[in-house]
Amino acid sequence: MSEFPGWHGTTIIAVRRGGEVVVAGDGQVSLGQTVIKGSARKVRRLSPGGYDVVAGFAGSTADAFTLLERLEAKLESTPGQLARASVELAKDWRTDKYLQKLEAMLIVSDGRDMFVITGAGDVLEPEHDVAAIGSGGNFALAAARGLMETEFSAEDVARRAMAIAADICVYTNGNLTVEKISA
């Protein structure tokens, strides 16, 4: 009897440059060595209380949607305060027995702030204006950090970093969803 091979998929990157943040994610979802879907959309724009936020998620889709709904509720109760809403979500995620079982990570930005939110209770503000999560996240992060030395726009850095990650990581493809948000 073989073990369940496990789901893999999705690389999400966020790049801040020139007054805007770009969040890009690929569309691959794999089960073991099989690509189940190549066009999943794991980057979303939320507008709770009239304030735009872009979120990208890696991990279980159902779990991520649960977290996005919770984040949206936090943002509605604290309009325009992404940092506060993110910390409140991380607190709930860390302490609520139901939420503790969720397997996903988020990158969120309102154009000013950018955070990585984890189930360990972390709300991390990335250094070097780049954050990445997911199966190919480390590849995309390394590529983007190198590309930040160029004059490329935030979108160009994100797209090129994702292309590099897709060339290296078998759980990442080139089918991108890209959302931009300005401060």
Side-chain angles (χ1 to χ4, degrees), residues 41 44 57 60-70 104 106:
R41 188 171 176 270
R44 310 269 174 182
F57 60 88
S60 166
T61 303
D63 292 354
F65 279 131
T66 299
L67 293 168
L68 289 174
E69 287 171 5
R70 295 278 181 125
L106 303 174

Side-chain angles (χ1 to χ4, degrees), residues 46-119:
L46 311 172
S47 296
Y51 292 91
D52 281 348
V53 171
V54 173
F57 60 88
S60 166
T61 303
D63 292 354
F65 279 131
T66 299
L67 293 168
L68 289 174
E69 287 171 5
R70 295 278 181 125
L71 177 62
E72 207 161 15
K74 299 290 183 192
L75 286 165
E76 285 174 358
S77 66
T78 59
Q81 297 180 49
L82 180 61
R84 184 172 175 194
S86 297
V87 169
E88 290 299 318
L89 174 64
K91 278 195 232 177
D92 288 354
W93 195 352
R94 180 85 171 131
T95 58
D96 184 293
K97 288 189 186 287
Y98 167 73
L99 293 178
Q100 285 176 358
K101 295 179 182 358
L102 301 183
E103 295 181 5
M105 292 179 75
L106 303 174
I107 293 179
V108 297
S109 179
D110 61 2
R112 248 185 354 265
D113 295 319
M114 180 169 52
F115 301 109
V116 175
I117 308 171
T118 75

